[in-house]
Amino acid sequence: PDFPSRSIGDCDGMRAILEWVEYDARWYGEQGDEMLMRMEALAKLLNVEETPRTDILSQRVLNCLGYFHDQPRQRFGFIYAIPSPKSFHGAPKCYSLDSIIQLSLCESADAPRPVLGELFSLAYGIVRCVAALHEVGWLHKGICSENVLTFSPTKRDAHQHVAASVIAGFSSSRPESSRKLTLGPNNTFIFYQHPKYIEPGAEFERRYDFFSAGIVLLEIGLWYTMYALFKNGVLQLPSSEWSAEENRNILLKKYVPQLGERMGKCYQDAVAFCLDVEANLGSLPDDTEGRWATQKAFRDNVVNPLGRCFA
């Protein structure tokens, strides 16, 4: 794959992805014991025999075959089975959505953009997967285009397979009820993190997953990445809540409106809901009733409308 924390190989006669979860001194002692239990719980959640799946999670999340502890290098390795579509000739290769978009932006590559119907299928699959994870009590915490994976015979053909992409990058995931220990924001995905989660010590909330998903939906609709906007001087590095809010305002005022003519008003409104999630949700308590209301609002304003988009 094109992401340094992943590699592809063989496991028990099948092709598999190895995804690394690195840790540091915070993992020792009592905190380390809790994190170990979290890794175990995550492996069980993502294994289809331990946690049987139906509907969207069976389509959009790879089956975790197991994990192991590489103690000398302070990391865990999670092993995921790679699907093998019969239409592929040879072993499928893995590409991130981010790299597929970047290839299209490269003038020398002459790589086509996916057809509109497949972009709608991809967007709908992502938000349904987020909603399904929340319904089983897990926060993803790492939603970004680098963690949306497409399997294709070649990179240039990958645009034809994005509709079947899967969600990966569960290294920061945790049960929503587990707030005792949090590792805080991961700077690798800083352009996808909610402004209020940028600051040290901030606790993650499920609506922050909505924000991250909204950024990915924006990238899909524009077929342009946040990193490209940063490189071109449109966005600044979100090193503080203030700078992250500045970026959000730019995206809401200048780029979300561009989605109307490209993807339709329904898609535009769904992205706007995700990026301005506090204004749209108001102040809801972080309890069972508040989470239910938050989830219903996400389904009513994002999941269901995107399900009606087609081409």
Side-chain angles (χ1 to χ4, degrees):
D2 42 36
F3 197 58
S5 66
R6 299 186 185 105
S7 58
I8 284 184
D10 293 308
C11 178
D12 294 333
M14 68 176 69
R15 298 292 284 171
I17 289 180
L18 174 60
E19 192 166 70
W20 294 107
V21 180
E22 297 182 344
Y23 61 90
D24 56 27
R26 290 175 293 180
W27 284 53
Y28 292 102
E30 184 178 345
Q31 288 187 333
D33 292 339
E34 183 175 337
M35 292 306 296
L36 280 169
M37 288 190 291
R38 186 177 297 178
M39 292 296 101
E40 180 71 24
L42 179 61
K44 289 181 178 179
L45 173 73
L46 301 178
N47 180 272
V48 295
E49 293 183 2
E50 293 278 356
T51 309
R53 303 176 191 169
T54 57
D55 200 28
I56 192 64
L57 291 181
S58 64
Q59 304 168 28
R60 297 289 177 175
V61 177
L62 297 175
N63 179 28
C64 179
L65 302 175
Y67 77 101
F68 61 93
H69 190 184
D70 183 0
Q71 203 161 5
R73 297 185 181 181
Q74 296 185 314
R75 60 184 184 175
F76 291 90
F78 280 75
I79 304 170
Y80 299 91
I82 294 179
S84 300
K86 295 180 180 178
S87 59
F88 286 11
H89 299 291
K93 298 178 177 62
C94 178
Y95 304 100
S96 68
L97 177 63
D98 174 77
S99 71
I100 298 169
I101 297 175
Q102 292 287 4
L103 184 65
S104 299
L105 300 180
C106 179
E107 294 181 4
S108 60
D110 190 30
R113 170 181 168 144
V115 298
L116 184 57
E118 295 204 341
L119 293 179
F120 285 145
S121 294
L122 170 61
Y124 183 46
I126 290 171
V127 297
R128 283 182 68 203
C129 188
V130 171
L133 285 169
H134 288 180
E135 284 173 1
V136 297
W138 277 79
L139 304 174
H140 188 285
K141 297 183 64 182
I143 299 168
C144 64
S145 54
E146 290 175 335
N147 284 333
V148 178
L149 304 183
T150 298
F151 298 97
S152 170
T154 68
K155 192 169 188 177
R156 198 182 185 286
D157 293 329
H159 71 282
Q160 301 176 22
H161 304 282
V162 295
S165 296
V166 299
I167 306 295
F170 284 86
S171 59
S172 299
S173 300
R174 66 166 173 84
E176 188 167 23
S177 58
S178 175
R179 290 177 172 269
K180 186 177 179 181
L181 176 61
T182 179
L183 297 181
N186 185 332
N187 289 336
T188 306
F189 316 124
I190 198 163
F191 285 103
Y192 302 83
Q193 288 171 349
H194 190 281
K196 293 188 180 301
Y197 191 59
I198 297 289
E199 297 295 334
E203 287 191 351
F204 196 87
E205 301 177 18
R206 68 164 56 186
R207 58 185 177 176
Y208 297 171
D209 268 347
F210 300 165
F211 178 86
S212 302
I215 295 291
V216 176
L217 295 181
L218 180 61
E219 291 181 318
I220 292 170
L222 299 176
W223 207 242
Y224 209 80
T225 66
M226 294 302 102
Y227 179 73
L229 290 178
F230 168 67
K231 193 166 63 172
N232 291 334
V234 175
L235 301 180
Q236 56 186 307
L237 187 69
S239 56
S240 66
E241 182 179 342
W242 179 86
S243 57
E245 282 289 358
E246 287 290 302
N247 285 348
R248 171 158 66 172
N249 289 332
I250 290 170
L251 296 176
L252 281 168
K253 292 178 181 178
K254 185 175 181 179
Y255 290 94
V256 171
Q258 295 181 27
L259 295 174
E261 64 176 0
R262 293 169 178 261
M263 308 292 286
K265 186 67 163 54
C266 188
Y267 190 100
Q268 177 185 333
D269 289 346
V271 176
F273 179 91
C274 291
L275 296 194
D276 204 11
V277 66
E278 298 96 334
N280 291 306
L281 281 177
S283 179
L284 292 171
D286 188 23
D287 54 19
T288 302
E289 186 175 341
R291 292 173 185 173
W292 181 88
T294 300
Q295 191 75 352
K296 183 178 185 303
F298 184 64
R299 285 203 171 273
D300 290 346
N301 293 278
V302 181
V303 179
N304 294 338
L306 289 184
R308 296 191 292 268
C309 294
F310 67 94

